[in-house]
Amino acid sequence: MTNVQRSYLPAAGRDWMLPLYDPLVKLLGGDKTRKALLEQAAVRPGDRVLDIGCGTGTLAAVIKRLHPGIEVVGLDPDPRALARARRKAQQAEIGVQFDQGFSDNLPYAAASFDRVFSSFMFHHLPEGERGNTLREIRRVLKPGASLHMVDFAGPGSRPHGSLARMLHSSERLKGNSEDRILTMLKQAGFSHAAQVMRGTMLFGRLNVNYFQASVPSGQA
Ligand SMILES: C[S@@+](CC[C@H](N)C(=O)[O-])C[C@H]1O[C@@H](n2cnc3c(N)ncnc32)[C@H](O)[C@@H]1O
C-alpha cells in the first residue's frame, strides 16, 4: 500500500525544477546511458518489466516502444513526475502502467517480474532504505530474473569540473561505492551480483556504474 505521507528526494532535487529534469538529463547524456542499460538487460519477448524510481517515465517509454508486446510498469512516489510520465506515454500512444509507491514496499506479488530497472534512483534513497529496497526487488523478481541498475559512481571516482564535483559530493553518493553496492546486493540474496560496466556522462566528466544482479534459477 502506498504511504503518501512519506518524504522522498524528487527527480531534480526540488519540485519546481521538475520541468528542467528531462532536458537536463538529455544534455548530460542520459539517453546514451539508458540505452546502454537496456542493452545490458537483453529484454525478451513476453518479459514483464518494472522500472523503479521511474521519474518522468523516459526509460519505461523507451522499453515499451522497443518491445511493444511486453508489459512495462513504472513506479515512483512523486505524483508530479508520474503525471508527466503518463502524459509522455499517452502522447507516444503506448501503454505503460505507472504506479505511485516506494521502492522498499513494492505493491507487487513475489516472483512477478523478469527484469527490474533502476536508473539514477539508488542515490535518491537514504541509507536506511537501501537494503530493504534491494530485498524488495529480489522478492518481486522471478527465478532466473535480473536487476539492472545504473547510478553515479560514489567515493573513489574522479569527477572533473564543478558540476560533476557538486553532484559527486552529494551526501547520498557516499553509499554509492562499487564495493558497498555489491555487498548490499549479495546481502539481499542476489547471486552473480556484478559491476558490469563503467561509463561517463557530461562529456566524460561524470562517472557512472552499471550493475547486474540475478535471482538463482529455480529459486523464488
Ligand atoms: C534522478 S530520478 C531518476 C528518474 C528516472 N529513473 C530516470 O532515469 O530519469 C530519481 C527518482 O527516484 C524517485 N525516488 C525517490 N525516492 C524513491 C523511493 N523511496 N522509491 C522509489 N523512487 C524514489 C524520485 O521521485 C525520482 O523520480
Side-chain angles (χ1 to χ4, degrees):
M1 192 144 39
T2 301
N3 177 355
V4 289
Q5 304 304 319
R6 277 179 62 178
S7 65
Y8 55 85
L9 182 65
R14 295 178 198 279
D15 288 339
W16 66 266
M17 285 175 68
L18 185 63
L20 303 177
Y21 180 76
D22 280 349
L24 188 64
V25 172
K26 201 176 180 58
L27 192 72
L28 294 179
D31 290 347
K32 194 183 84 185
T33 306
R34 293 189 189 108
K35 185 167 176 272
L37 187 69
L38 243 175
E39 279 166 12
Q40 168 191 316
V43 173
R44 303 152 306 178
D47 277 353
R48 186 164 185 250
V49 169
L50 172 65
D51 180 16
I52 50 162
C54 64
T56 56
T58 306
L59 177 63
V62 170
I63 298 171
K64 184 66 183 178
R65 260 199 308 270
L66 287 174
H67 306 276
I70 71 170
E71 185 183 347
V72 180
V73 180
L75 173 127
D76 203 284
D78 185 354
R80 295 172 189 84
L82 289 172
R84 283 178 179 268
R86 290 187 184 114
R87 252 194 331 265
K88 202 177 274 176
Q90 210 170 14
Q91 279 162 5
E93 298 184 347
I94 51 176
V96 178
Q97 176 185 327
F98 288 107
D99 297 327
Q100 189 176 18
F102 287 85
S103 57
D104 60 354
N105 186 17
L106 296 174
Y108 308 113
S112 57
F113 288 96
D114 301 279
R115 295 284 182 274
V116 172
F117 288 89
S118 166
S119 155
F120 301 114
M121 192 281 289
F122 206 61
H123 75 279
H124 277 237
L125 301 179
E127 185 63 29
E129 290 176 20
R130 295 182 177 202
N132 284 343
T133 287
L134 295 179
R135 277 186 285 280
E136 272 295 85
I137 295 172
R138 161 79 178 74
R139 180 184 69 77
V140 301
L141 280 168
K142 297 176 185 174
S146 50
L147 162 67
H148 300 270
M149 175 159 118
V150 66
D151 212 334
F152 298 119
S157 70
R158 297 207 184 109
H160 308 291
S162 48
L163 177 57
R165 273 197 296 278
M166 189 188 85
L167 283 167
H168 274 278
S169 68
S170 133
E171 198 49 40
R172 308 250 176 171
L173 285 190
K174 297 224 163 76
N176 254 25
S177 73
E178 296 163 25
D179 286 352
R180 179 83 188 114
I181 289 181
L182 289 173
T183 301
M184 292 184 95
L185 284 166
K186 284 176 190 147
Q187 283 171 346
F190 285 97
S191 63
H192 311 299
Q195 185 210 19
V196 283
M197 200 165 51
R198 289 193 176 90
T200 59
M201 291 174 71
L202 189 58
F203 316 107
R205 286 159 183 255
L206 205 52
N207 301 308
V208 293
N209 286 326
Y210 297 78
F211 296 91
Q212 174 166 347
S214 316
V215 175
S217 304
Q219 191 191 331

